[in-house]
Amino acid sequence: MSDLDDFKATYFDECSELLTELEEQFAAIEAGERDAGRLNAVFRAIHSIKGGAGAFGFSALVGFAHAYETLLDYVRDGRIEMSDDVVTLCIRANDIVADHVKAAQTGEALPADYGMDEKARFDALARGESVAEDEEGGEPLEEFDIEFVPVMVHIEAAEDETHESDAFEAAPMAFEPGHWEIHFRPHQALYARANDPLLLFRELAALGEMSVRAVIGEIPALADFEPFAVYCSWEITLISPSLTEAMIREVFEFVDGDCDIAVAQLGGGLAPLDVAPAQSLPLEPGLSDLLALADDEVEALLDFALESAPVAEPAESVEEAPEPSFAALAETIKPSAPIAVARVPVEALKPATPVPESEDGERRNVGVQSIRVDLDKVDRVVNMVGELVITQSMLTQQMDETLRARYTELVRGLEVLAQTTRGLQDSVMAIRAQPVKSVFSRMPRLVRELAQKTGKKIKLETIGENTEIDKTVIEQLSDPLTHMIRNSADHGIEAPDLRTARGKADTGTIRLSAEQAGGNILIIVEDDGGGINRERVLQVARDKGIVAADVNPSDEQIDQLIFAPGFSTASEVSDISGRGVGMDVVLSNIKKIGGSVHVRSWTGKGTRMTLRLPLTLAVLDVMLVKVGGSPYVVPLSSIVETIQCSRAAFERVPSGGKVLQVRGEYVQVIDLAERFDMLTETEADNRFVVLCEAEGSHKVALIVDDIIGQQQVVIKSLEENFERVDGIAGGTILGDGNVALIVDVQGLKTTIMHKTAA
Amino acid sequence: MEALGLRDDLVDKTVAGHNTLQLIAFSIGEQTYGVEITTVREIRAWNGATPLPNTREFVRGVINLRGTIVPIFDLRARFGDGQTSPTKNHVVVVMSVGDKWVGILVDAVSDILTVSRDDIHNVPEGNSIDTELLNGIVTHESRMVGLIDLHAVVSGAKIDG
């Protein structure tokens, strides 16, 4: 039971990946990349979803996926043109597939007719094209309607001799064209991936008249039976005048690499395949080629075949039949599966066992191998590596000059340790890194829907979607991004006529980009809409008491107000978003993962929202400083430069605050000792300024007593055992075991802003 | 649940007898205080702490407890007697309060006491800091031991605004 649950969980994991893949593919297809590669990828994804769904008995999903697949197949054949309408229909179909998957996962039932309209449209599309030019083209469609009527499979009972001769009577069919012989031998991996040969047979049965025979000669005595070994292979005869090899291969596409497949067309004059197959295989040149038997094996087989000739004699084959126990055993094991007489001597079957096609074998080796790992396990490793990095840097720091001179071996060892640690850290981080594509790919659809709902014309551009970022960060990114894009589409981009009136193109653009900037990832959502209506925002903020009546915030501060909790310009609330509703959620979500949000707006030109996210949540590059005798660390990513202090450089502004002039620019000064209420014993002129860039363009100068150096730290939570402290982003443990606090540059700046504003 | 309850009973009977309570007693100056032994995680020597800005006087800062950051509360300061001037002989008692771990800085740990629950008296009514921070008072061999209310001790640590 739990095994099945595990399989299901894996299947749903895969489904979510495949659905993401579908989104990606269709984003590209929409953009005009309508090549066969994309289409094949889509086809494979749908096919995989269908395959698993069949194994678990999600029949509604199978039904819809099958119809969809048929349509895709027609598009692939060129019978249906990949027009915009078809693309739109496919995108809708993806949603339906996703809904079906979700329903299967949650166990909720969808309406019985869910997706039927689309299914009917597939139908119509396919028929419209095919009936006109090709009578047969329409046939598979008719067929898919009845696809889930139980498929008749010819079962040839093992122990019954008369069936033998029945099969023989069928043999003359082999001389007709369109008569195919398939040898299908699954590997263990096929079952491990929860595939069921029965589904493949059903699919084959849809292609023509089929008979299936199981080759069970390899099934050992019960005592030797290994439950997970694969003993069974199948021979399938398939008859249909229009059948091509490609059509057959396609059925097996999904299990490609997990089984051995031999497909051959039966011409005239061949020994009927009904005869012990392993003997007849080498006699049939096509099959032996396909199986790529080793030369000596072929020879051995030929010898065998000659010795036992005439193999085709029915009487002969009956004599060769194995003890009935095999068949009986087979029947008990798999009573529902098609069973045929196993008349194949065990030694003769051997060559038919996997002698992988060399090409095939290579492909399997080249393919990316992966395992699924519980994220918790990776996290544990990441944490441990973090601690290791810190211990290593502590060791290095404690090596003073005398020790260095004395223990050169030790120094060398430490250097190697440093290198290995760094490498280990990078590798561990890489395990969790994922391209932001997985989130970005959901956005085109969102924009499309928003455009439809709002009646606007919106185009989405994505840049840097291969930028990699920690998986835990990515998971937290989807909601904020959705909110931001909704916000841009709903409030940023103007209606087409207004845009034209403002002299802009009637189609608005939302640009979504990701880039790595030092130890951070910047994700920017930018639109070329009307910008934030500051008057209204300020008015609402005043009405709600977020900003006092006598305070005049700067433009930048007003823009930032849309992130204030409870802020919403009520008059603008729509069913899509209310600016403010959700934006405070954006802020809190992003803060939770150690990031920050900044918004800038240009009236009439657009709005840009910047998310700054840490590359990883585990290790931070910092500058270690001292303030009032206590260690503090400032994230290196926010530091612009450090300056030796000079009292003369500070000037007081009327509000009582200090500013520092740095190359012609006035920068707000925060004396950390003062701010943190600590006593500093350092002389004023011996102190240092750490110039930081908080979110946005504004810089802030932090005065510290001493700068100690750079290092890496593991972020520890202060809230775990205490509570959040203003101006402090968390804590970390230094090499000497002491705790250092992490300065929250952005937080300091905002509290100062509030203080001056209040 | 049932099983756990039973086990507690057994422990009580064998180790300390029925209806009794074991306390860790520690001193601040002349005064003795106690906390229930089950809340105490470890006792360690004072080794300094990193000060936390924007917190009240009685928050001495944070320490590293095997990779976890734990705040330290100065019990003397909490009772309004000014900050302790700690030496190496001062002691930090690490305890769990709810799901958090906190350290309490005291002068010394003096004893493990077994007291009867019946001997616990209510704190006399009043509005001094003492009464706010105590759950009760128990007499042990003619000494008066104040039972610390940990939740109260660690509350109000931040300076607002």
Side-chain angles (χ1 to χ4, degrees):
Chain A
M1 189 61 202
S2 76
D3 266 1
L4 184 63
D5 288 347
D6 281 354
F7 282 136
K8 270 192 189 170
T10 310
Y11 168 68
F12 286 123
D13 275 358
E14 271 169 13
C15 274
S16 89
E17 275 168 26
L18 291 165
L19 289 169
T20 308
E21 158 108 19
L22 280 177
E23 294 274 0
E24 278 170 28
Q25 296 300 346
F26 271 100
I29 288 171
E30 261 209 313
E33 290 179 37
R34 291 179 188 177
D35 54 276
R38 300 253 175 231
L39 203 53
N40 283 334
V42 170
F43 188 85
R44 266 198 305 275
I46 291 294
H47 194 86
S48 302
I49 291 173
K50 186 182 95 171
F56 292 115
F58 304 137
S59 53
L61 174 54
V62 175
F64 186 81
H66 186 81
Y68 184 15
E69 201 180 73
T70 311
L71 174 81
L72 288 169
D73 199 27
Y74 280 27
V75 175
R76 211 158 55 157
D77 287 358
R79 273 185 271 188
I80 296 175
E81 196 203 340
M82 192 69 164
S83 64
D84 287 351
D85 283 347
V86 174
V87 173
T88 312
L89 180 61
C90 286
I91 289 167
R92 175 77 191 118
N94 293 343
D95 293 351
I96 294 171
V97 170
D99 290 342
H100 272 302
V101 169
K102 203 172 155 205
Q105 192 167 11
T106 57
E108 284 167 21
L110 289 168
D113 62 344
Y114 188 72
M116 282 302 158
D117 290 354
E118 284 75 13
K119 223 168 153 180
R121 285 188 64 195
F122 297 155
D123 235 341
L125 261 171
R127 209 177 292 128
E129 283 278 337
S130 55
V131 172
E133 57 175 66
D134 181 9
E135 189 72 15
E136 274 152 27
E139 188 199 303
L141 255 195
E142 313 270 289
E143 165 270 307
F144 92 66
D145 278 334
I146 54 148
E147 153 81 358
F148 297 100
V149 174
V151 170
M152 282 299 290
V153 174
H154 295 262
I155 298 178
E156 291 163 18
E159 64 282 16
D160 195 339
E161 212 181 308
T162 55
H163 277 76
E164 276 308 304
S165 38
D166 279 356
F168 250 72
E169 277 160 30
M173 300 274 274
F175 297 91
E176 289 175 18
H179 187 127
W180 292 84
E181 191 71 32
I182 303 151
H183 192 108
F184 166 60
R185 185 186 181 84
H187 299 168
Q188 211 171 319
L190 183 136
Y191 295 104
R193 288 184 224 277
N195 289 313
D196 187 342
L198 188 58
L199 291 167
L200 297 168
F201 298 155
R202 277 193 189 148
E203 234 179 292
L204 282 175
L207 295 174
E209 192 183 327
M210 180 176 78
S211 68
V212 181
R213 302 166 62 250
V215 179
I216 53 175
E218 256 192 298
I219 297 178
L222 195 52
D224 302 328
F225 197 83
E226 283 179 47
F228 289 106
V230 176
Y231 297 118
C232 209
S233 65
W234 284 274
E235 285 178 357
I236 304 143
T237 357
L238 198 54
I239 305 160
S240 167
S242 62
L243 200 58
T244 63
E245 182 173 344
M247 287 162 79
I248 296 170
R249 291 266 172 201
E250 202 180 285
V251 172
F252 291 99
E253 193 178 32
F254 179 48
V255 292
D256 192 23
D258 292 336
C259 62
D260 297 321
I261 299 281
V263 181
Q265 187 160 25
L266 278 192
L270 276 178
L273 246 136
D274 200 53
V275 182
Q279 296 163 28
S280 60
L281 289 186
L283 295 176
E284 213 284 89
L287 273 182
S288 68
D289 284 348
L290 280 160
L291 282 168
L293 296 175
D295 282 350
D296 51 347
E297 283 164 334
V298 175
E299 261 171 50
L301 272 177
L302 280 170
D303 288 345
F304 182 87
L306 289 171
E307 270 169 39
S308 53
V311 275
E313 290 273 338
E316 192 76 28
S317 38
V318 171
E319 270 169 33
E320 278 174 21
E323 316 113 84
S325 65
F326 275 159
L329 179 64
E331 213 165 34
T332 22
I333 295 164
K334 233 186 163 196
S336 63
I339 291 167
V341 175
R343 291 176 292 110
V344 189
V346 171
E347 69 270 27
L349 192 83
K350 267 180 191 153
T353 58
V355 182
E357 257 174 87
S358 63
E359 191 194 335
D360 195 77
E362 270 168 37
R363 204 188 317 147
R364 232 171 298 153
N365 288 338
V366 170
V368 178
Q369 294 204 335
S370 63
I371 52 166
R372 280 170 193 281
V373 185
D374 190 353
L375 202 59
D376 279 354
K377 289 185 188 166
V378 182
D379 281 349
R380 236 175 292 153
V381 178
V382 169
N383 271 332
M384 265 151 59
V385 170
E387 300 292 345
L388 183 65
V389 167
I390 287 172
T391 313
Q392 177 270 319
S393 72
M394 178 203 78
L395 284 176
T396 311
Q397 275 166 25
Q398 303 211 328
M399 289 291 288
D400 63 19
E401 286 311 313
T402 27
L403 283 175
R404 264 173 216 285
R406 209 141 133 216
Y407 304 105
T408 48
E409 282 300 312
L410 188 61
V411 171
R412 209 167 300 145
L414 278 176
E415 277 164 8
V416 174
L417 178 67
Q419 255 174 18
T420 317
T421 318
R422 193 74 213 215
L424 183 62
Q425 191 194 343
D426 289 348
S427 312
V428 171
M429 293 305 160
I431 292 177
R432 300 211 314 184
Q434 264 195 341
V436 289
K437 201 166 31 176
S438 58
V439 183
F440 278 20
S441 64
R442 294 174 212 165
M443 301 304 157
R445 190 169 116 214
L446 176 70
V447 170
R448 204 163 46 236
E449 280 171 7
L450 289 170
Q452 268 172 15
K453 272 192 192 163
T454 55
K456 294 172 184 173
K457 290 185 176 176
I458 310 172
K459 175 174 83 183
L460 179 77
E461 283 177 20
T462 50
I463 298 162
E465 54 191 11
N466 285 321
T467 311
E468 291 201 329
I469 189 167
D470 197 277
K471 185 167 166 62
T472 46
V473 180
I474 283 199
E475 280 164 1
Q476 304 293 325
L477 207 55
S478 178
D479 280 356
L481 271 189
T482 308
H483 276 302
M484 285 158 76
I485 286 185
R486 278 188 177 159
N487 196 45
S488 277
D490 202 20
H491 303 294
I493 307 282
E494 313 95 322
D497 46 344
L498 182 58
R499 290 184 64 88
T500 326
R502 285 180 175 173
K504 295 197 261 194
D506 64 346
T507 303
T509 306
I510 296 177
R511 185 180 294 132
L512 178 60
S513 68
E515 63 177 298
Q516 190 174 342
N520 284 312
I521 292 285
L522 293 185
I523 297 200
I524 299 170
V525 178
E526 202 171 1
D527 67 60
D528 62 352
I532 291 174
N533 185 339
R534 295 204 176 96
E535 277 170 38
R536 185 180 297 158
V537 167
L538 186 57
Q539 192 51 52
V540 172
R542 288 219 161 104
D543 292 349
K544 289 185 181 282
I546 297 169
V547 172
D550 55 340
V551 175
N552 284 313
S554 68
D555 283 358
E556 195 198 349
Q557 286 167 333
I558 296 174
D559 289 353
Q560 214 68 28
L561 280 175
I562 63 168
F563 295 110
F567 180 86
S568 171
T569 48
S571 59
E572 286 185 53
V573 171
S574 71
D575 65 327
I576 300 166
S577 78
R579 176 160 276 183
V581 175
M583 291 311 270
D584 58 331
V585 177
V586 169
L587 186 64
S588 65
N589 279 3
I590 294 300
K591 271 196 167 165
K592 222 187 299 169
I593 49 173
S596 60
V597 193
H598 178 255
V599 60
R600 265 209 85 187
S601 178
W602 296 267
T603 310
K605 285 185 181 158
T607 308
R608 181 202 290 156
M609 284 181 265
T610 309
L611 291 186
R612 187 183 282 268
L613 300 166
L615 207 50
T616 161
L617 301 181
V619 178
L620 190 66
D621 275 301
V622 297
M623 171 95 71
L624 181 60
V625 300
K626 245 190 174 119
V627 179
S630 299
Y632 283 85
V633 298
V634 184
L636 215 53
S637 55
S638 59
I639 295 180
V640 181
E641 64 176 302
T642 55
I643 311 163
Q644 173 93 45
C645 220
S646 154
R647 199 200 301 260
F650 299 119
E651 288 167 50
R652 293 214 167 253
V653 289
S655 67
K658 282 187 231 169
V659 291
L660 172 70
Q661 198 185 2
V662 185
R663 288 183 290 277
E665 189 186 352
Y666 283 99
V667 180
Q668 179 188 14
V669 172
I670 299 171
D671 186 334
L672 281 187
E674 209 172 90
R675 177 70 178 71
F676 290 155
D677 203 16
M678 314 266 275
L679 291 175
T680 169
E681 286 159 12
T682 317
E683 278 177 49
D685 278 356
N686 288 340
R687 302 181 77 196
F688 290 85
V689 172
V690 179
L691 195 63
C692 293
E693 183 153 19
E695 215 36 75
S697 57
H698 286 241
K699 294 192 178 71
V700 56
L702 306 180
I703 306 182
V704 302
D705 293 351
D706 201 1
I707 289 175
I708 296 163
Q710 290 179 15
Q711 71 176 82
Q712 285 195 319
V713 299
V714 176
I715 302 170
K716 302 277 179 183
S717 157
L718 209 57
E719 281 131 279
E720 190 184 333
N721 291 316
F722 194 60
E723 42 195 313
R724 201 181 152 73
V725 175
D726 282 345
I728 302 296
T732 182
I733 291 157
L734 300 175
D736 59 8
N738 283 326
V739 178
L741 300 173
I742 302 169
V743 177
D744 176 7
V745 178
Q746 179 70 28
L748 274 178
K749 201 174 160 256
T750 19
T751 49
I752 292 287
M753 246 164 61
H754 284 170
K755 272 188 181 164
T756 49
Chain B
M1 286 297 144
E2 205 60 47
L4 270 179
L6 190 67
R7 230 184 117 195
D8 279 352
D9 274 349
L10 281 177
V11 170
D12 264 354
K13 274 175 192 145
T14 49
V15 178
H18 196 59
N19 196 28
T20 55
L21 197 62
Q22 280 196 304
L23 304 176
I24 294 259
F26 42 78
S27 59
I28 291 166
E30 298 294 305
Q31 186 58 51
T32 306
Y33 297 98
V35 289
E36 208 179 329
I37 199 163
T38 50
T39 63
V40 176
R41 294 287 156 249
E42 68 182 271
I43 297 166
R44 35 194 297 138
W46 168 259
N47 212 353
T50 303
L52 271 178
N54 305 317
T55 51
R56 299 219 178 265
E57 183 193 37
F58 63 81
V59 181
R60 288 306 289 244
V62 285
I63 62 162
N64 160 26
L65 188 73
R66 291 182 298 280
T68 306
I69 294 182
V70 174
I72 305 296
F73 295 82
D74 184 334
L75 201 56
R76 175 178 274 114
R78 188 70 182 95
F79 280 111
D81 283 345
Q83 280 199 341
T84 307
S85 311
T87 64
K88 287 267 177 201
N89 296 328
H90 281 75
V91 169
V92 171
V93 183
V94 179
M95 290 176 265
S96 52
V97 187
D99 56 353
K100 298 190 171 186
W101 285 31
V102 299
I104 305 285
L105 174 65
V106 298
D107 288 355
V109 169
S110 53
D111 221 341
I112 293 175
L113 308 176
T114 303
V115 298
S116 165
R117 285 182 202 272
D118 299 334
D119 290 342
I120 299 173
H121 307 285
N122 286 337
V123 188
E125 288 292 316
N127 47 11
S128 71
I129 303 175
D130 284 42
T131 59
E132 279 172 27
L133 301 177
L134 297 182
N135 272 335
I137 291 172
V138 65
T139 315
H140 184 81
E141 288 165 7
S142 78
R143 263 188 306 167
M144 195 193 78
V145 179
L147 295 179
I148 298 284
D149 180 347
L150 278 175
H151 286 276
V153 166
V154 302
S155 65
K158 262 175 44 165
I159 296 172
D160 295 324

